[in-house]
Each structure stands twice: as C-alpha cells, then as structure tokens.
Amino acid sequence: MKPTKRGPVPRVLEEHGERWSASCVRKKAENPNYRIQWTKHGGVPVNRLLLPPLEAMTQSHCSYCDGYPLDDIAYPTIDHFLPKGQYPELTYNWNNLYLACPRCQNEKETRFDLRIQREEYQGELLRPDEPNYKFERYFLFNYKNGHIEPNPRASEAERRRAKFTIDKLGLNDGGRPRSRKRTIVCFARSEQRLDAIDVWPYRFILTQ
Ligand SMILES: [Zn+2]
C-alpha cells in the first residue's frame, strides 16, 4: 500500500452525493436484501464518472495492493472502504471510495466482519490516504519470501493495524508474495528508472 493524497470531492458527488446516499439508506430500510447499484447521471453510470479522479489519486494502481495495470486482469473497480451494504449512507461519500483490483475488493468483502464495530474497523484497517501513513512505518517487506510483515519496530497499536490490514486484504495469500518477488527481480535487472516508477506494480517495495 503506497501513500496517496485524495483530490477534492468530484462535482457530481458534491452536487448529488448526499441525495443518492439517502436514497440508498431508504431502499435498504424498506428491504434489507436490496443490493445497492451505482446510479446513473446523464445516462452514464456514476462509477464511470468517478474512475478518472480515483485513478489520478493512485496513478491507476490498486489502492491496497498497488497492483498495476488493473485492466490486465479485469476492469478496475471502485471499493467502498466501509461496505455499502452495511453503510448505505456512505455509498456516495468521496472519502469512502478507493480504486481497487477485483481481488482486493473480494478479499475485503468476504472478510468483512460484522461483529467489528464501525469505529473499530475504521481505526484498524489502514487507508493509503490517511495522515502520516507510510509503508515503512507499519510494514516490512521480506525479500526472501515476498511477504509483507508488520514492522517489529512499530508500536503495538501500529503492529496490530498492520496485521489486521494484511489479513483483511489477503496481502500474503495466493500468488501475491511470488508476484512481488518477481517484480523485484525484474526491476533490479531493468535500468531502475525511478522516474518511471508508476509503470511498476508494488511501488512501495521498489522505492524503499
Ligand atoms: Zn489490489
């Protein structure tokens, strides 16, 4: 997860976001099984309108695993940090939206624990745009096995958040560690032009 800065609220959300979210809340209250879908604005699904400002925020990388390019695997998706099914009032809240690869989004969705209260969840899972977030403050990259680990020098609370984030996003599962190791090797063999870093995935380990 690479630190990023969030741009200003897109106009479409500034103008309509609250009303659209309120409508999601109403529909959910009427029918708890209602599945929230992106609404349309001027005939265009709103997620299409929000992709460009979200892509600008992460240079089109996944906000969580920093995977790139996203459309190699599937169309990039927009993740609701606090899931819209449980928090319909945040469906169109700009600060709740992140560009994500389908895999991170699925991992996060399936591991979302309803028993964890919102405040706690918000305080545990790391966000790439939260103040003072830095990869190396919370994590270490293990060059031997490609794993991301909590930084042993971090405070207890920081280590707990790091572990929670690794677990909830499945950052060390499947082929992800191998994929990071492969990237490191390719990067080392290349000309290592850091000015072109955005074309590489996992930028947080390459710039350490
Ligand atoms: Zn991802």
Side-chain angles (χ1 to χ4, degrees), residues 159-207:
R159 288 201 309 273
R160 196 184 60 234
R161 292 191 71 189
K163 186 178 181 315
F164 188 85
T165 303
I166 291 166
D167 291 348
K168 287 288 168 192
L169 296 173
L171 292 178
N172 289 332
D173 294 350
R176 290 178 149 183
R178 203 174 48 213
S179 177
R180 285 186 210 113
K181 274 180 76 177
R182 200 163 46 227
T183 299
I184 286 274
V185 171
C186 292
F187 183 72
R189 285 181 187 159
S190 72
E191 292 170 25
Q192 300 192 31
R193 288 177 48 228
L194 282 174
D195 57 324
I197 192 76
D198 287 342
V199 303
W200 293 87
Y202 319 122
R203 293 168 295 177
F204 53 89
I205 52 176
L206 301 176
T207 51

Side-chain angles (χ1 to χ4, degrees), residues 40-137:
K40 284 187 178 176
H41 181 63
V44 184
V46 172
N47 52 336
R48 291 257 181 92
L49 301 174
L50 296 178
L51 275 176
L54 286 171
E55 285 168 345
M57 185 172 147
T58 62
Q59 296 76 46
S60 302
H61 290 241
C62 173
S63 305
Y64 303 125
C65 69
D66 209 52
Y68 177 89
L70 294 187
D71 43 11
D72 256 18
I73 333 162
Y75 200 66
T77 58
I78 297 179
D79 179 58
H80 290 80
F81 188 82
L82 289 173
K84 59 185 184 307
Q86 282 78 34
Y87 305 97
E89 68 276 20
L90 298 177
T91 304
Y92 293 95
N93 182 309
W94 175 234
N95 292 320
N96 195 40
L97 304 177
Y98 291 84
L99 185 74
C101 71
R103 174 146 183 209
C104 279
Q105 197 176 32
N106 287 342
E107 298 276 359
K108 195 168 150 285
E109 210 172 292
T110 51
R111 295 171 199 222
F112 185 77
D113 191 340
L114 279 178
R115 288 166 304 178
I116 298 176
Q117 291 305 303
R118 172 175 168 170
E119 287 72 22
E120 197 181 338
Y121 194 84
Q122 239 169 343
E124 292 295 315
L125 191 65
L126 285 160
R127 295 173 179 249
D129 59 331
E130 71 173 52
N132 303 322
Y133 169 74
K134 277 192 186 124
F135 176 78
E136 57 274 21
R137 177 174 168 194

